[in-house]
Each structure stands twice: as structure tokens, then as C-alpha cells.
Amino acid sequence: MADSLDGGPFDIALVGAGAISAGAYTGGVVDFMAFALDAWYAARAAGGRNVPPHEVRLGVFSGASAGAITAALSAAYLCSDQPSIASDKESPEQQRRNKLFDSWVNRIDIKYLLQTDDLADGKAPVVSLLDSSVLKEIADAGLDVAVRPERRAYVAPEFQLLMTVTNLRGVPYGFKLNASREASYDMMLHADYVHFTIRDSEGLPMRDRYQMRWADFAGSSAVKEKLKLSALASGAFPIGLASHTLSHSIDPQSDWYSTRTWPVPTPGSANPHACVTEKPIPAHWGKLQEKFSYQFQCVDGGVMDNEPFELARKQLAGADGRNERDGEKASKAVLMIDPFPSDSSFDSNYQVRPDIFHTGLSLFSALKNQARFKPEELMLAEDSNVASRYMIAPSRGGEKYAIACGSLGGFGGFLKRDFRAHDYFLARRNAQKFFRDHFVLPEENPLFAQWTEAMKEGYCVRRSGQAVLRDGQRLLPIIPLVGDASAECEQPLWPQYSADDLEALLSQANRRSKAVLTRLVDQLLAKNMFLRPMAKLIVSFKMRDIVSRLRTAVTTDLKKMGLMN
């Protein structure tokens, strides 16, 4: 990434945090961002008066789970012409053409996830509690686009797309230890990711990533299928959604894992910003056949790395190793979109439950939360004095609950389209305010060297009509809102879930649960003709209890959030 201290492009990297159904919020932010950038660049090309002349460049998008799916959809969005969806009044045809909206608002719904298409052949094993068949259809529809003849001016020549996955097989690393006898310390890497570089034309082979052309989105290709599969693997919520198998060819010319660099302490460094050095560590594969096909089963990338901020930061920093934080010098920034920035609230009513079932569930939750524990990244993103990292999160006029998809642990958005539509349009409103008032730099930054005084007065951050000053300087937007992008986005109405909605859900859940449990009995007791009918009888008795518990859980959570009367 080039430096912009001479007033050149300001480089931006996006991070899509794991969000389950709240991917609708992430999609809404990206939709408005592209809308604002398109409006600004079009006004400048038309020679409009007082249009800011500086450049920005979007070159990195890392994502986990729903954030990874949105990152892949966004790449297809950026290389095509799709209409921005500003309200639910847009025609169905317009909504279908916008793949971010169509995928996250129209297509992904509990009525599809509770179908039994995955069990249709009568012999397929149960691979997930929910039917994941629709996800492949969404990926196909969302990533098949008509490509623009020219790349957007604000999209970098090399676009880096990184999606985290939880690699259940693991990657082996071994280290020799100083001891009285030869010994090694072996460990496994499970926090994995898949990296794509997207260009106008094919480049030289690279050892640590897949290369893709923008034109590949318009047709069928092996690399495009790899992209779809990687996005689905990143979003495969454990047990709830089906896992996916990925593969890499491993040999001296294409060993992804031996080329990855890791921060190694550098003691005695005279440079205060170089206390660590990025160094590669060879994977400990042992003896492999030539071009070994390394296959590994994957589940949700958010389990191990739910906010892949560091992946984006390293790509953005490049050889420099760091991004300048000083607002007067900053030339690059990482922007994290996080629908759930604080979803691990402290439970003051915690009860010790030492039985094996609750201990197992608590252990899984503890491992997941510990892997996501990155307070230093969030603290820096919140610090107004740090101009190299920013975060946008849901806000709804000070309300305790901002997004409808946050119910039921993030799965609530699947219950009703209205929930997802609300969050999509709230995201657009939040993004507009963020780009106007928070994604800003002091006026002395070289990025604004060509701005006129009229531009500075017209676009600077204001509060109660007065320019906001920081250390005596006005604050100017990195992405100015021009033309239609400056028209106020309406705040959507808080949606509601009805008693009829609930009864339809319970009916669908009853059919899905019965099909899954019956298939599990056949799968686990295939050779036991005596126990199998007894087990099915027990399942039929337990169904009423399962539905009753679901009714209670849904009703309690939705009423708590004001989503149900």
C-alpha cells in the first residue's frame, strides 16, 4: 500500500466481525459505503463545485463467519453495478439485483433453514441441526454477477480478501528445544484463514494465497468455486450449520503455512515501534508426497478469530509493519464493522451447575470467548486519538437494544425478514453518521492539502452548528458525503414478532426436529433392531418437550428486547 503523506490515496481496510444473522447489518454498512463513494467520485468526474479532490483506496477486506460471507459478497458487489437499497420501498427487482440485500434480507430465513432437503435421500447422515442447503444457493446467486468493464477508481489494483476458518485438522508446527537430549515441542494451529488476491489480470503464482481476476465473477471457474466454499466454511456455525472441507496443495512452491509470518520479540531494538519482527515459521509436515493435497474440515472462523483485525492490519501495513496513528500523519486505516462489539455481558445471576452437560457447554463457551479476547484492538479502535483504526457498531438513539438480529444469541434475525431489513437500514443510517462525524482526520493531514477553505468549512464536523475542534484543528471526513449520500437516512421502525409468526416457527421446528432425531436414531442404531424402535418412541415423546422449550426461549428473549408483545 502506498504512502499518502504527499496527499495521495488514503488506504482503507475493512474487517467484518462474526455476526451470525446480523450479517445484514454488515451488508448495510458496505452498501452505504459504496453508495457514498460512488456519489463522491461521480460528482468529481462531473466537475462539480466544492467536491473534495483527494483519493481513497479500498484494498483489503478480512472477515469471520457472517463477516467473511459479507466480504465475499462485497467483492462481487464492487466489481459489478448493483443498485443501492435505501428503503424497503424499492421494487423486488431492484432488491434482487443488490446481492448484499438479497442475500442477507430476502434469502436467508428460518423457513429455509428448517426444511429437510439435506435429508431428502433417506440415507444421508445428519451433519447439522439446521438445513444448510439454502446457503449454497445464496452463495451461487450472490457471487454470480455481470462484471463492470472497468474497476472502480477507489478499488485497489490488488484487492486482498481474507476469510477466517476454524481448521479442525490443524497445521503442525515443531520447535527444537535446548535440552540434554534432542527434543522438540509440537503444537497445532487451528485458527486458520483463506487468502485471495483479486486483480484485473492474472499475476505470477504466489505461495500463500489464491489469485483471482475480477472477470472470474462473471463466469464459472475453479477459483470462484474455491471462494464460495471458503465463505461457506467460515460461516459454518458449529453443529448448527454444516461444516465444509477445504484443501490446499502443499509442496515447496505452494506451502501456505510455511510462508506466514509471526511476531517474534526483538530485544534491544533501538526503534520503539520495532520491538517485534515478523518472521516465517516452517510448518512441521514431515515427509510428504509431491504436491500433497492437504484436506481439512472447517467450521465457523469466528470460533477462533471472530474479529480478524490483525489480518487486515498486516495487509494494510505492508513492508512498513505498522500504520501511522497520529491524525496529522495517518495515511491508512482499518475499519471494523462489528454488530456485536460487547455481546459477552457479565452474568450477575450466575449459578454453578457442575453436571457433565453444563460443564461441557461452559467449556466450549469459555474456549470461544478466550479466543476472541482482544481488548487492545477494541480499545485502540475506540480511542479518538488513534487515526489508524476505527469501528462502527449499531446505535439506535440510545436504546438499550439496537439491532433486532441480536436476539437469541445472534440467531434471532433468521426468525423474520423484518428483523433483518431493520438492521440493514439501521446500518445505512449508522454508516452515514459515522462517515460524516467519526471517520475523520485533522485538517492539517496532507490528505486535505488540495482542499479549499470553502470545502473545509462545508464538510467539517459540526455540533450545534459550530465546527468541532481537536487541538485547534477542524476535523474533515475521509469519505465526504456528496449529493444523494448526504440526504438523511431514516431510522427504521422497531419490528415486531407476532403470535402467528411463533406458531408457524414451532410447526416448522417440530417437523425439522423430528426428522433430525429420527435420522440420528437410524444412524447411531443402524445395527440394533431392538433398540431402534424404542429410541424412536422416546423421540416422539420428547418432541413436545423440545417445542415447549423453544417456545419459552423465543418468547422470553423477544419480549425482553421489545420485539414481541
Side-chain angles (χ1 to χ4, degrees):
M1 297 287 181
D3 198 337
S4 68
L5 290 181
D6 59 353
F10 188 93
D11 289 308
I12 301 171
L14 297 178
V15 179
I20 312 178
S21 66
Y25 183 87
T26 308
V29 171
V30 175
D31 188 17
F32 184 85
M33 182 180 185
F35 175 64
L37 286 165
D38 285 343
W40 169 30
Y41 272 69
R44 195 169 62 198
R49 292 184 59 191
N50 289 330
V51 179
H54 70 276
E55 300 276 350
V56 299
R57 186 165 50 195
L58 179 58
V60 182
F61 202 149
S62 68
S65 190
I69 294 172
T70 306
L73 291 170
S74 297
Y77 185 107
L78 290 170
C79 75
S80 60
D81 288 315
Q82 301 182 24
S84 185
I85 305 299
S87 79
D88 220 359
K89 297 176 183 177
E90 302 283 355
S91 70
E93 175 58 28
Q94 289 288 86
Q95 293 182 10
R96 281 193 295 272
R97 288 180 56 205
N98 184 307
K99 305 299 186 177
L100 287 168
F101 187 89
D102 190 48
S103 299
W104 279 117
V105 178
N106 288 336
R107 285 179 173 268
I108 183 68
D109 193 87
I110 195 66
K111 65 183 178 184
Y112 302 118
L113 296 172
L114 290 178
Q115 290 179 342
T116 55
D117 292 351
D118 56 334
L119 305 174
D121 69 359
K123 296 181 181 179
V126 175
V127 296
S128 58
L129 295 180
L130 299 173
D131 185 350
S132 302
S133 305
V134 68
L135 300 180
K136 178 63 166 59
E137 298 172 12
I138 292 173
D140 288 340
L143 297 181
D144 291 343
V145 297
V147 176
R148 294 164 52 95
E150 291 185 357
R151 173 172 39 86
R152 280 177 163 89
Y154 58 81
V155 174
E158 290 192 356
F159 187 85
Q160 310 299 332
L161 178 61
L162 303 99
M163 295 174 283
T164 66
V165 294
T166 296
N167 181 334
L168 297 182
R169 183 177 187 179
V171 180
Y173 288 90
F175 302 89
K176 296 296 182 182
L177 301 177
N178 292 324
S180 56
R181 61 183 178 83
E182 185 174 316
S184 67
Y185 184 87
D186 298 321
M187 59 180 66
M188 283 284 189
L189 169 75
H190 294 278
D192 205 350
Y193 64 90
V194 187
H195 187 171
F196 291 82
T197 291
I198 310 176
R199 298 188 178 99
D200 293 329
S201 58
E202 191 170 344
L204 295 174
M206 304 180 78
R207 294 183 63 193
D208 63 342
R209 68 196 69 177
Y210 295 108
Q211 294 195 70
M212 186 174 179
R213 299 172 305 135
W214 292 111
D216 290 329
F217 281 102
S220 177
S221 67
V223 70
K224 181 178 175 180
E225 291 305 310
K226 182 73 73 172
L227 174 61
K228 291 180 185 177
L229 187 59
S230 300
L232 292 173
S234 185
F237 191 88
I239 301 176
L241 299 173
S243 63
H244 292 273
T245 300
L246 299 180
S247 64
H248 301 317
S249 179
I250 302 296
D251 60 38
Q253 283 72 47
S254 60
D255 184 353
W256 287 52
Y257 302 101
S258 296
T259 59
R260 291 181 180 174
T261 60
W262 307 88
V264 177
T266 309
S269 172
N271 186 343
H273 300 301
C275 54
V276 296
T277 301
E278 293 285 335
K279 293 184 178 180
I281 300 174
H284 198 216
W285 297 112
K287 292 184 178 180
L288 298 178
Q289 63 190 47
E290 187 177 354
K291 292 190 177 180
F292 175 74
S293 178
Y294 171 63
Q295 294 187 322
F296 51 102
Q297 186 181 5
C298 295
V299 295
D300 196 329
V303 173
M304 294 291 178
D305 191 355
N306 198 55
E307 290 99 7
F309 195 100
E310 183 63 11
L311 288 180
R313 189 202 66 78
K314 287 174 66 173
Q315 288 297 316
L316 193 67
D320 294 339
R322 68 181 297 273
N323 300 312
E324 178 61 58
R325 296 179 182 175
D326 187 333
E328 292 188 24
K329 302 177 182 177
S331 61
K332 307 172 185 179
V334 181
L335 168 56
M336 181 160 68
I337 309 167
D338 196 345
F340 303 129
S342 57
D343 63 344
S344 297
S345 56
F346 179 71
D347 183 5
S348 59
N349 298 314
Y350 175 81
Q351 293 181 344
V352 175
R353 306 177 76 175
D355 62 277
I356 190 170
F357 177 74
H358 286 97
T359 299
L361 288 178
S362 297
L363 177 61
F364 173 76
S365 179
L367 292 172
K368 177 192 69 174
N369 288 333
Q370 182 58 44
R372 296 178 176 183
F373 187 72
K374 301 172 184 177
E376 67 282 359
E377 292 182 359
L378 294 178
M379 288 175 66
L380 287 170
E382 286 184 339
D383 190 340
S384 60
N385 295 315
V386 174
S388 63
R389 52 183 75 196
Y390 297 80
M391 180 171 69
I392 180 171
S395 175
R396 192 173 182 273
E399 296 286 342
K400 180 179 180 181
Y401 299 106
I403 58 172
C405 291
S407 57
L408 298 173
F411 279 87
F414 296 138
L415 297 185
K416 193 169 185 177
R417 181 189 181 278
D418 290 354
F419 291 2
R420 304 186 298 276
H422 169 275
D423 292 358
Y424 192 94
F425 297 124
L426 178 72
R428 289 179 57 89
R429 178 178 171 85
N430 288 171
Q432 183 181 54
K433 180 172 177 55
F434 174 79
F435 291 128
R436 179 190 291 129
D437 297 339
H438 302 290
F439 197 44
V440 296
L441 294 168
E443 60 184 315
E444 291 302 318
N445 188 291
L447 186 67
F448 310 117
Q450 303 304 316
W451 279 42
T452 65
E453 178 59 27
M455 290 176 191
K456 294 178 181 179
E457 271 298 295
Y459 287 95
C460 70
V461 177
R462 293 182 177 276
R463 188 173 296 125
S464 301
Q466 299 297 314
V468 175
L469 302 181
R470 183 183 299 163
D471 296 329
Q473 296 187 47
R474 289 170 295 188
L475 301 174
L476 305 180
I478 297 169
I479 298 178
L481 302 183
V482 176
D484 291 343
S486 64
E488 194 72 17
C489 293
E490 294 183 8
Q491 178 160 297
L493 296 176
W494 194 238
Q496 289 293 306
Y497 199 70
S498 69
D500 290 342
D501 292 329
L502 179 60
E503 293 309 314
L505 168 68
L506 296 176
S507 177
Q508 294 166 340
N510 183 66
R511 288 194 298 270
R512 173 69 186 177
S513 299
K514 185 175 181 180
V516 168
L517 291 173
T518 300
R519 183 62 56 84
L520 281 173
V521 169
D522 290 337
Q523 186 176 322
L524 298 175
L525 301 176
K527 297 181 180 180
N528 196 317
M529 299 295 292
F530 176 71
L531 288 180
R532 192 166 55 191
M534 292 182 61
K536 289 185 177 181
L537 185 61
I538 294 172
V539 164
S540 66
F541 283 125
K542 292 297 292 182
M543 287 307 304
R544 186 176 300 174
D545 184 47
I546 291 173
V547 172
S548 177
R549 287 175 179 269
L550 179 60
R551 178 190 296 274
T552 300
V554 171
T555 303
T556 300
D557 207 44
L558 295 189
K559 286 186 174 182
K560 179 184 71 174
M561 294 183 60
L563 291 164
M564 188 175 186
N565 295 322

